[in-house]
């Protein structure tokens, strides 16, 4: 192995995350155009447009999904409505609920008036309520709509005191708020009305619907001036103001023009007077839309939002992507991905790893700029993309997909834009893996589910940006395996190729003529990943059997086996110049291994689902992971200073600061270590109470969250219960309920706490029974009695130690009641063992320990200890007391083994 030229890595900490923040529903932009508000289940997430970061997350305590929300025009008040029929008013900047009210039915829509004092809510029973948010009472209850009121809008001229609404009857009702009556119903649409837009003078209304028309209304005459056929289901409309020059968008006259967004996925500009489309947006990077299935296309637009101060438009796609366009050129200024679905692969991209390219469970690639989280979506493939690989200098990469093709992409380092420059097809089944050459940008290798591997030569020269992609042809094809090829990788010198397959083998090939050099056999299940060491002549393989193996590529022998994952190991990479490994698995864990010592240095509970994607940066200081939980996490190497500082603080008994560091690092097991250190002191109870009560509120929230994790493990449940006792004793229920996710935490605590109490109860019963039996036995030692009060050492030789009677007797002579009691005791012990194993299986810990109790054929109990306990876990196990009865023809004694 390579010499240790670099210090070993010991831990990784989260640097940043790209998480799902929008899963459908309403989207609203603040009046100052700095924030985007959007729903995500029981939360309203607030995204800062400049940085792309989630700065606030307003969450319902009842964990019920939010059905609607609205932000006041002065950007001060946020009101949410959930399925629990609660209306809540929030000071969103402080994430504090200031008022609650009950709505009789679920709220489907809501909006503020321009003064930020009146709030209108549309219910699912056809009623509309108006609320005075200043004086805090309901002012109107408007009835007459049929079905769900899914759209409410105030007239921009507040002096009119008019409210417009639409429900499932497709009509647009105008309500006079002075009389609380409907003064008119505008009927033109034959499908749901999706948006209402007013002209600047307030005299004209433009309504859009899914019946593929837009209606232009004269509000004085309350009649349709013109019907505009748009030939697509329209989800949003915005009126263009007459202040700016929109000649680039086809606006030449001074008449009223409006923009529509719908199922075709493009923005179009219409002249309301002539009903003509004067401009259609083009998407140069996207393939042509299949109009027959246009309504189902993921690029369909679901919302269109104006940003008048900066002269921009925002659109929301069916794939939950938010795009911000700069008018009048309609160039994409920023793009945010609300939901990524499963992350299948991710790689660093760019000269200094400034971007990442992500393959999700879709046919589009996503390129994120790490500084702003802004995203570019790459179209080209027609089915799910399975794998990505990047060339050495990071400006070019290749992708492969289920559509049996692979594509070559190039990034413009100045602008950061990515374009497809070449494509190739030839496989007869999905292409599951692709590898790029390391020394030169000369060739690609692909592995497919058709069991073959192909070598592709890159076109020379590559086409310029904007040109059509050139076709690549396969130079060599080889049937490599008996089953799907899951992974291919190229050696650092471009001379060797390794492939891993579902047939449980990995193979080594010569790239000169694609000849087979050897086969690596040893895994009991399919091989998911193969990786060459950057410095040594070894190959790492990761398998579905839960192990990682290091192989010699000269002798084809296994040099090391690493076991620790509870499920399939999906990816493995070399770090620290080939002296360490990082692996990711189906168990959601990421593990750091040191090759020389065969030791798992650190286990990171990184994700909630399978970690399909794992890649290290070119400087070896960053790592990125992607999971089926839709989360992309960027990790940075932890400095040893923090770990050393933590040890020093514990030695100096500065527990408050030590616990603060553990919380800031978001490491539950490190925090558990601090809690245990506190509890081991003579005045541990008082010290723990003093330390916890000095924590800030956000730190107490983290400790409560950690306690839920600790409570799932029988080894750490006592520490969790000690923390909970302090929090529940000194904090009022109102304070605790203010913590984020309290309800979920408490629901997670209850079942495990009940299980621990039941286990302790059974243990007490077993110990009392043993004590009873001990008191009833007559203890003798042959002819001489044994005095238990003496301090003499007890004989532990295999001979009979405890003799019940001097005369031999058969087991049949034992009274039936005693035999029954012993049988019940054995059943109780077996049940206890099973319960402990269940606790261990369901616990969240950095390393596992397994204790297997077995019975030898001659009836003597044996204990096999397989595994070791992590230093961060408690080494004190529950006392297990066993009592076994041993009877033979020659020795009718009873033996009691106490562990």
């Amino acid at each position: 192995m390579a010499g240790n030229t670099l210090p070993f890595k010991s831990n990784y900490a989260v640097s940043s995350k790209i998480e799902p923040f929008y899963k459908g529903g309403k989207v609203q932009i603040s009046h100052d155009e700095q924030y985007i508000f959007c729903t995500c289940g029981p939360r309203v997430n607030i995204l800062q447009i400049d940085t792309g970061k989630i700065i606030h997350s307003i969450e319902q305590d009842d964990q019920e999904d939010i059905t609607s929300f609205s932000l006041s025009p002065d950007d001060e008040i946020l009101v949410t409505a959930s399925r629990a029929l609660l209306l809540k008013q929030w000071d969103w900047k402080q994430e504090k609920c200031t008022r609650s009210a009950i709505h009789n039915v679920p709220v489907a829509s809501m909006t503020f008036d321009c003064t930020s004092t009146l709030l209108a809510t549309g219910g699912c029973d056809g009623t509309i309520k108006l609320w005075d948010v200043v004086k805090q009472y309901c002012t109107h209850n408007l009835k007459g709509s049929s079905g769900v009121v899914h759209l409410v809008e105030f007239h921009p001229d507040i002096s009119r005191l008019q409210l417009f609404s639409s429900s499932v009857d497709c009509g647009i009702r105008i309500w006079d708020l002075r009389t609380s009556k409907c003064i008119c119903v505008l009927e033109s649409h034959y499908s749901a009305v999706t948006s209402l837009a007013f002209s600047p003078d307030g005299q004209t209304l433009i309504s859009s619907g899914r019946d593929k028309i837009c209606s232009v209304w004269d509000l004085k005459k309350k009649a349709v001036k013109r019907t505009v056929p748009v030939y697509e289901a329209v989800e949003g409309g915005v009126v263009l103001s007459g202040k700016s020059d929109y000649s680039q968008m086809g606006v030449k006259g001074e008449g009223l023009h409006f923009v529509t967004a719908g199922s075709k996925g493009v923005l179009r500009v219409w002249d309301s007077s002539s009903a003509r489309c004067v401009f259609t947006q083009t998407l140069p990077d996207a393939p042509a839309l299949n109009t027959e299935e246009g309504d189902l296309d993921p690029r369909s637009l679901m919302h269109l939002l104006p940003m008048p101060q900066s002269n921009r438009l925002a659109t929301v796609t069916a794939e939950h992507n938010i795009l911000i366009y700069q008018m009048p050129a309609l160039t994409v200024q920023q793009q945010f991905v609300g939901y990524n679905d499963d992350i299948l692969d991710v790689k660093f991209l760019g000269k200094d790893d400034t971007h990442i390219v992500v393959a999700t469970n879709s046919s589009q690639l996503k390129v994120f700029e790490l500084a702003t989280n802004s995203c570019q979506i790459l179209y080209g493939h027609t089915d799910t993309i399975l794998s990505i690989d990047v060339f050495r200098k990071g400006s070019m990469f290749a992708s492969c997909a289920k559509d049996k093709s692979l594509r070559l992409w190039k990034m413009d380092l100045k602008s950061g834009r990515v374009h497809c420059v070449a494509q190739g097809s030839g496989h007869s089944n999905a292409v599951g893996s692709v590898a790029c050459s390391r020394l030169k940008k000369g060739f690609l290798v692909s592995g497919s589910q058709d069991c073959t591997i192909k070598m592709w030569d890159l076109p020379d020269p590559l086409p310029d940006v904007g040109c059509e992609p050139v076709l690549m042809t396969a130079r060599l094809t080889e049937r490599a395996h008996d089953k799907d090829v899951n992974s291919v990788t190229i050696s650092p010198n471009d001379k060797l190729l390794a492939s891993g397959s579902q047939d449980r083998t990995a193979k080594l090939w010569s790239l000169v003529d694609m000849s087979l050099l050897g086969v690596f056999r040893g895994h009991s299940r399919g091989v998911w990943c193969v990786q060459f060491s950057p410095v040594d002549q070894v190959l790492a393989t990761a398998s579905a059997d839960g192990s990682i193996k290091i192989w010699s590529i000269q002798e084809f022998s296994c040099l090391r086996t690493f076991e620790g994952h509870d499920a399939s190991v999906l990816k493995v990479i070399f770090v620290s110049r080939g002296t360490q490994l990082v692996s990711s698995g189906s168990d959601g864990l990421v593990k750091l291994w040191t090759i020389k010592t065969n030791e798992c240095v650190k286990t990171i509970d990184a994700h909630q689902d399978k970690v399909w994607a794992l890649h290290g940066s070119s400087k070896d200081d960053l790592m990125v992971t992607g999971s089926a939980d839709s989360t992309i996490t960027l990790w940075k190497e932890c400095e040893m200073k923090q770990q050393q500082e933590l040890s020093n603080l514990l030695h100096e008994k500065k527990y408050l600061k030590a616990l603060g560091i553990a919380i800031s690092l978001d490491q539950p097991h490190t925090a558990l270590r601090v809690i245990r250190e506190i509890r081991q002191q003579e005045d541990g109870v008082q010290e723990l109470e003093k330390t916890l009560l000095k924590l800030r509120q956000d730190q107490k929230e983290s400790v409560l969250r950690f306690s839920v994790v600790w409570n799932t493990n029988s080894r750490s449940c006592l520490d969790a219960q000690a923390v909970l006792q302090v929090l529940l004793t000194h904090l009022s229920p109102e304070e605790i309920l203010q913590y984020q996710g309290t309800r979920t935490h408490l629901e997670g605590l209850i079942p495990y706490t009940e299980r621990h109490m039941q286990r302790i109860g059974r243990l007490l019963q077993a110990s009392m029974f043993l004590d009873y039996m001990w008191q009833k036995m007559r203890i003798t030692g042959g002819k001489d009695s044994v005095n238990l009060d003496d301090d003499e050492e007890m004989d532990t030789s295999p001979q009979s130690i405890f003799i019940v009677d001097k005369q031999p007797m058969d087991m049949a002579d034992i009274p039936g009641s005693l035999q029954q009691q012993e049988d019940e005791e054995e059943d109780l012990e077996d049940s206890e063992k099973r319960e402990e194993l269940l606790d261990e299986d369901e616990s969240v810990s950095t390393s596992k320990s397994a204790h297997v109790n077995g019975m030898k054929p001659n009836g003597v109990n044996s204990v096999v200890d397989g595994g070791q306990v992590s230093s961060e876990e408690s080494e004190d196990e529950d006392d297990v007391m066993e009592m076994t009865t041993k009877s033979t023809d020659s020795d009718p004694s009873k033996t009691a083994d106490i562990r």
Side-chain angles (χ1 to χ4, degrees), residues 98-146:
T98 58
R99 184 196 171 210
S100 297
I102 297 177
H103 209 279
N104 296 331
V105 293
V107 176
S109 59
M110 66 171 68
T111 187
F112 274 94
D113 74 334
C114 60
T115 65
S116 301
T117 57
L118 283 179
L119 174 72
T121 60
C124 291
D125 60 351
T127 63
I128 301 170
K129 293 181 183 291
L130 271 77
W131 309 79
D132 189 322
V133 296
V134 176
K135 298 180 180 179
Q136 300 186 356
Y137 69 98
C138 179
T139 62
H140 298 71
N141 188 10
L142 309 177
K143 298 181 179 179
S145 302
S146 59

Side-chain angles (χ1 to χ4, degrees), residues 229-293:
V230 295
Y231 306 108
E232 67 170 334
V234 182
E235 297 292 341
V238 170
V239 174
L240 294 177
S241 65
K243 299 178 182 179
S244 302
D245 179 15
Y246 296 111
S247 57
Q248 285 184 262
M249 299 169 62
V251 178
K252 297 180 181 178
E254 295 184 356
L256 188 65
H257 292 75
F258 62 94
V259 184
T260 60
S263 58
K264 291 187 177 180
V266 294
L267 298 176
R268 295 197 284 176
V269 181
W270 303 83
D271 185 346
S272 63
S273 59
S274 63
R276 288 189 309 107
C277 177
V278 296
F279 177 80
T280 300
Q281 179 190 21
T282 58
L283 301 175
D285 296 332
L289 185 70
N290 186 349
T291 54
E292 294 180 1
E293 301 178 358

Side-chain angles (χ1 to χ4, degrees), residues 41-44 57-66 80 82 84 86 88 90 95-100 701 733-747:
R43 300 189 303 275
V44 174
S57 185
I58 307 298
E59 186 169 4
Q60 293 282 128
D61 291 336
D62 51 22
Q63 295 298 304
E64 293 286 346
D65 286 355
I66 290 176
T80 62
S82 71
L86 277 178
K88 289 198 171 186
W90 301 84
E95 297 187 17
K96 184 182 297 184
C97 178
T98 58
R99 184 196 171 210
S100 297
E701 288 180 11
E734 291 76 15
E735 287 181 89
I736 296 177
L737 288 174
Q738 290 295 323
Y739 293 173
Q740 190 170 353
T742 301
R743 182 181 295 271
T744 305
H745 297 332
L746 294 178
E747 288 176 353

Side-chain angles (χ1 to χ4, degrees), residues 682-839:
E682 291 184 3
D683 56 344
V685 176
Q686 293 80 6
E687 187 68 33
L688 179 65
E689 183 178 307
K690 183 175 68 174
T691 303
L692 291 177
L693 294 179
K694 286 183 179 179
L695 295 176
R696 302 191 309 267
Q697 179 174 329
D698 59 316
Q699 292 176 323
K700 291 176 183 176
E701 288 180 11
S702 298
V703 171
L704 179 61
R705 176 165 50 88
F706 292 167
S707 297
V708 178
V709 178
W710 302 336
N711 196 53
T712 60
N713 192 331
S714 61
R715 295 188 182 91
S716 55
C717 65
L718 293 179
D719 302 289
Q721 294 296 327
V723 172
L724 290 172
Q725 182 180 8
V726 174
L727 295 179
L728 295 176
T729 303
H730 293 85
L731 300 179
S732 66
E734 291 76 15
E735 287 181 89
I736 296 177
L737 288 174
Q738 290 295 323
Y739 293 173
Q740 190 170 353
T742 301
R743 182 181 295 271
T744 305
H745 297 332
L746 294 178
E747 288 176 353
L749 284 167
I750 292 171
Y752 282 101
T753 301
E754 291 176 346
R755 179 178 294 178
H756 297 322
M757 294 302 295
Q758 292 169 3
R759 178 171 52 81
I760 293 171
R762 287 193 299 270
L763 189 60
L764 283 174
Q765 291 176 6
S767 64
M768 292 176 67
F769 179 74
L770 180 63
D771 184 62
Y772 171 78
M773 293 298 296
W774 181 269
Q775 297 296 333
K776 293 298 180 183
M777 285 181 180
R778 288 187 298 114
I779 310 299
T780 59
K783 295 181 179 180
D784 298 328
S785 61
V786 178
N787 187 359
L788 293 181
D789 294 333
D790 294 340
D791 294 333
E792 295 177 2
E793 185 177 354
M794 185 177 287
D795 185 10
T796 57
S797 61
Q799 64 182 0
S800 299
I801 302 173
F802 303 106
I803 300 176
V804 176
D805 203 316
K806 295 182 180 180
Q807 299 298 325
M809 69 183 199
D810 297 332
M811 290 295 293
D813 296 332
I814 299 176
S817 59
L818 180 59
Q819 182 66 46
Q820 183 179 0
Q821 286 175 331
E822 291 174 351
D823 291 342
E824 289 177 355
E825 170 62 14
E826 291 176 359
D827 293 341
L828 196 60
E829 291 170 3
D830 292 340
S831 174
E832 176 65 22
K833 293 172 191 173
R834 287 195 298 270
E835 186 69 27
E836 290 185 356
L837 287 174
L838 282 174
D839 285 343

Side-chain angles (χ1 to χ4, degrees), residues 593-613:
W593 309 84
T594 298
I595 297 176
K596 185 176 182 180
T597 61
N598 227 80
E599 176 190 6
C600 178
V601 178
K602 186 68 178 177
T603 298
I604 306 170
D605 193 358
H607 294 276
Q608 304 300 317
D609 209 333
K610 299 180 180 69
V611 185
W612 288 106

Side-chain angles (χ1 to χ4, degrees), residues 310-349:
S310 56
N311 199 26
R312 294 183 290 178
L313 288 173
T315 63
V316 182
T317 70
E319 273 200 330
H320 314 307
N321 302 325
I322 301 174
L323 293 88
I324 298 178
Y325 293 96
Q326 182 64 58
M327 295 192 292
L330 283 185
T331 54
V332 177
Q333 192 178 59
Q334 283 177 290
Q335 181 162 291
F336 304 104
V337 177
Y339 183 66
N340 278 311
D341 208 347
D342 292 8
I343 309 296
L344 301 183
D345 204 0
V346 60
K347 293 288 190 295
F348 282 102
L349 187 65

Side-chain angles (χ1 to χ4, degrees), residues 111-401:
T111 187
F112 274 94
D113 74 334
C114 60
T115 65
S116 301
T117 57
L118 283 179
L119 174 72
T121 60
C124 291
D125 60 351
T127 63
I128 301 170
K129 293 181 183 291
L130 271 77
W131 309 79
D132 189 322
V133 296
V134 176
K135 298 180 180 179
Q136 300 186 356
Y137 69 98
C138 179
T139 62
H140 298 71
N141 188 10
L142 309 177
K143 298 181 179 179
S145 302
S146 59
V148 178
V149 181
H150 59 264
L151 187 62
V152 286
E153 285 288 345
F154 283 96
H155 192 282
D157 184 359
I158 192 60
S159 63
R160 293 196 180 194
L161 283 178
Q162 288 182 347
L163 179 72
F164 292 72
S165 69
S166 182
S167 60
V168 294
D169 60 5
C170 308
I172 302 170
R173 284 178 165 77
I174 305 177
W175 303 84
D176 186 347
L177 300 183
R178 292 183 177 89
T179 62
S180 299
K181 293 185 178 180
C182 176
I183 58 177
C184 181
V185 180
L186 307 179
E187 295 180 340
S188 171
H189 292 279
Y190 296 95
S191 185
V193 178
T194 54
S195 71
L196 300 175
F198 295 91
S199 62
D201 59 7
Q203 301 299 324
T204 304
L205 171 70
I206 296 174
S207 62
S208 63
R210 298 192 180 110
D211 51 5
K212 303 184 179 181
I213 65 168
C214 290
S215 297
V216 183
W217 302 87
D218 186 335
L219 292 183
K220 283 187 176 180
K221 300 179 180 179
K222 297 181 175 55
V224 177
K225 290 201 296 186
R226 189 169 294 276
T227 299
V228 182
V230 295
Y231 306 108
E232 67 170 334
V234 182
E235 297 292 341
V238 170
V239 174
L240 294 177
S241 65
K243 299 178 182 179
S244 302
D245 179 15
Y246 296 111
S247 57
Q248 285 184 262
M249 299 169 62
V251 178
K252 297 180 181 178
E254 295 184 356
L256 188 65
H257 292 75
F258 62 94
V259 184
T260 60
S263 58
K264 291 187 177 180
V266 294
L267 298 176
R268 295 197 284 176
V269 181
W270 303 83
D271 185 346
S272 63
S273 59
S274 63
R276 288 189 309 107
C277 177
V278 296
F279 177 80
T280 300
Q281 179 190 21
T282 58
L283 301 175
D285 296 332
L289 185 70
N290 186 349
T291 54
E292 294 180 1
E293 301 178 358
D295 292 339
L296 303 176
D297 191 270
R299 288 181 287 123
S300 300
L301 300 178
M302 308 306 295
H303 299 281
L304 179 61
L305 307 169
M307 301 175 69
Q309 290 187 8
S310 56
N311 199 26
R312 294 183 290 178
L313 288 173
T315 63
V316 182
T317 70
E319 273 200 330
H320 314 307
N321 302 325
I322 301 174
L323 293 88
I324 298 178
Y325 293 96
Q326 182 64 58
M327 295 192 292
L330 283 185
T331 54
V332 177
Q333 192 178 59
Q334 283 177 290
Q335 181 162 291
F336 304 104
V337 177
Y339 183 66
N340 278 311
D341 208 347
D342 292 8
I343 309 296
L344 301 183
D345 204 0
V346 60
K347 293 288 190 295
F348 282 102
L349 187 65
K351 185 178 179 181
D352 297 315
D353 299 327
T354 55
H355 296 68
I356 55 172
V357 54
V358 181
T360 63
N361 194 19
S362 71
S363 59
Q364 293 92 41
L365 284 167
K366 297 179 176 71
V367 179
F368 289 90
E369 184 180 0
L370 293 176
T372 63
N373 279 5
S374 184
C375 174
Q376 179 187 356
I377 294 183
L378 308 179
Y379 298 94
H381 288 287
T382 58
D383 207 340
T384 304
I385 299 169
L386 300 176
S387 180
I388 310 166
D389 197 25
V390 181
F391 284 94
R392 185 177 179 182
K393 292 186 178 179
S395 62
M396 288 177 56
F397 64 95
S399 62
C400 60

